[in-house]
Amino acid sequence: MNAYMIAVYVVCSAYMILNFKHDIQMFQQNSYRIPRYWRWLRHNMANTWRLTDIVCILLMCAVLLDYRMAAFLVALVCLAKTGLIFKKKYKKPLVFTRRVWRLYTTTAVISVGAVTAVAVYTVSTILLLAVLSFIPLIIADIILIPVEKWINRRYINDARRILRSMPDLTVVGITGSYGKTSTKHYLTRILSEEYDTLMTPGSYNTPMGVVRTIREMMKPYNQIFVCEMGAKQKGDIKEICDIVHPRIGIVTAVGPMHLESFKTLDNVCSTKFELVDALPSDGVA
C-alpha cells in the first residue's frame, strides 16, 4: 500500500471514529438504554449527514470511476465533515466516563475486525461503518451488559452502605417536568444557612449520577442531601428512591415533557409521583 492510499485510509478512519463519538454521545444522553436510543435513531436515520456518506459509498462502488480517484473524492468529503464535527456545538457534550471508554474501545475493536475481514474496497467498508455506526455501538453495549450490571451493582451497594452509615441524614428528593434544578439550587442555598447541605451537581439526576454524587462528594458530617431526580420513562424515579430513600419529596410540576417516551401525560404524572409513593409514613410531600 502506497502513501497515497494510507493517507486516504487515515482520513476516512478518523471520520469514522468521530462518528462513533457522536453516536456514543447520543447513547449517553439516552441513559445508555437501547430502546430510548433506538427511538432517537429512528427520527435521525435519514438525515442529510448520513445520506452524504451513502452517496460516497455509491461513488466508491461505481465501476466506471477509477478507484484511486473515487477514494480521493471520498477522503475530501470525510475531511470536510471532520472539520464540521469539530465546529459543532452541543448542549450536553459527551462525558468521557469509564463506561464511555469501555463502549468506545469495544466498538473500535468490532469495527477494526469488520474492516480487516474485508480484503477489497476497505474505504467503502470504513464509510459503511460510519453510516451504520450505531450497529457496532449497540453490539458493543450488548456485549458489555454483564460487565456494566456488575459494576453498577457494586457502585449502588457502596452508595447504600454510605447512606446506612449516616442515619441522621435527611434526604430531600426533587422531581418535576421543569423547575427541579432551580428549586434544588434555591433550597440548597436556604438550607445551607443552618445545615451542612449537599446537592446533586449539574445534571447528575440519573440513578448512577446520584450514586456517583454519594460515593465521591458525600461527607460524614453532611446533614441534608438534596437529590434531583430525572425521568424519561416509568420506574426511573422509583429506581433512585430505592437507593436514597427520601424522607421529604418535592414535585415541582407535571407537564408534557418527554412524551416521546412517556406516551401520555398520565404516565408522566404517575412517574413523578413515584417520589411521593416512596416516602415513609412520617414523610412530607
Side-chain angles (χ1 to χ4, degrees):
M1 187 185 299
N2 57 33
Y4 169 76
M5 290 307 299
I6 289 175
V8 169
Y9 291 142
V10 168
V11 170
C12 293
S13 298
Y15 171 60
M16 179 186 70
I17 291 169
L18 287 172
N19 252 12
F20 285 144
K21 176 179 176 291
H22 175 262
D23 277 311
I24 292 174
Q25 181 177 346
M26 296 301 105
F27 192 48
Q28 186 181 72
Q29 291 184 18
N30 282 280
S31 305
Y32 300 106
R33 297 187 181 182
I34 293 176
R36 290 185 188 177
Y37 176 64
W38 187 252
R39 281 193 294 268
W40 173 85
L41 198 62
R42 285 206 309 265
H43 295 293
N44 293 272
M45 184 71 73
N47 57 26
T48 306
W49 188 268
R50 293 188 189 271
L51 288 177
T52 55
D53 291 333
I54 295 173
V55 171
C56 285
I57 292 172
L58 294 175
L59 180 63
M60 286 298 302
C61 296
V63 180
L64 297 178
L65 286 175
D66 176 72
Y67 179 75
R68 289 167 60 86
M69 178 56 68
F72 173 73
L73 294 175
V74 169
L76 282 181
V77 173
C78 288
L79 194 60
K81 295 181 76 172
T82 299
L84 292 174
I85 288 174
F86 280 115
K87 289 183 178 180
K88 195 169 184 179
K89 303 295 182 183
Y90 295 96
K91 183 178 179 181
K92 287 186 178 181
L94 176 63
V95 181
F96 281 93
T97 61
R98 291 180 181 179
R99 179 170 186 173
V100 166
W101 281 117
R102 288 191 293 270
L103 264 177
Y104 221 144
T105 303
T106 308
T107 303
V109 169
I110 293 171
S111 303
V112 169
V115 172
T116 305
V118 181
V120 294
Y121 291 123
T122 311
V123 176
S124 298
T125 308
I126 292 173
L127 279 175
L128 187 61
L129 284 169
V131 177
L132 305 175
S133 51
F134 59 90
I135 293 178
L137 171 60
I138 291 174
I139 293 173
D141 182 67
I142 292 172
I143 291 172
L144 290 171
I145 282 176
V147 177
E148 299 302 336
K149 280 187 175 180
W150 179 79
I151 292 173
N152 288 350
R153 181 53 50 195
R154 185 162 63 90
Y155 287 165
I156 289 171
N157 288 340
D158 190 42
R160 285 173 171 163
R161 176 191 61 78
I162 293 171
L163 293 174
R164 283 197 303 269
S165 70
M166 303 172 65
D168 296 329
L169 180 73
T170 298
V171 179
V172 181
I174 301 177
T175 191
S177 297
Y178 51 87
K180 53 185 176 290
T181 302
S182 300
T183 303
K184 174 185 70 176
H185 283 281
Y186 295 148
L187 184 61
T188 300
R189 181 67 186 87
I190 294 169
L191 292 174
S192 295
E193 293 293 316
E194 290 287 336
Y195 305 98
D196 195 295
T197 307
L198 172 69
M199 71 174 183
T200 49
S203 57
Y204 280 36
N205 59 10
T206 64
M208 296 315 297
V210 172
V211 166
R212 184 175 179 181
T213 303
I214 295 168
R215 294 182 68 246
E216 297 180 3
M217 303 176 191
M218 186 163 285
K219 307 299 181 186
Y221 48 78
N222 290 144
Q223 296 171 287
I224 296 178
F225 179 36
V226 180
C227 180
E228 181 181 346
M229 303 178 179
K232 291 183 180 177
Q233 64 184 29
K234 295 185 71 173
D236 283 357
I237 301 299
K238 183 181 184 302
E239 186 177 353
I240 299 175
C241 289
D242 288 344
I243 298 171
V244 301
H245 300 291
R247 195 172 71 81
I248 300 172
I250 300 173
V251 180
T252 62
V254 175
M257 281 67 179
H258 301 300
L259 281 181
E260 71 279 1
S261 55
F262 280 116
K263 305 302 182 185
T264 68
L265 198 59
D266 286 340
N267 287 337
V268 177
C269 184
S270 62
T271 301
K272 298 306 178 185
F273 275 83
E274 288 172 1
L275 171 57
V276 179
D277 294 336
L279 298 177
S281 58
D282 62 342
V284 178

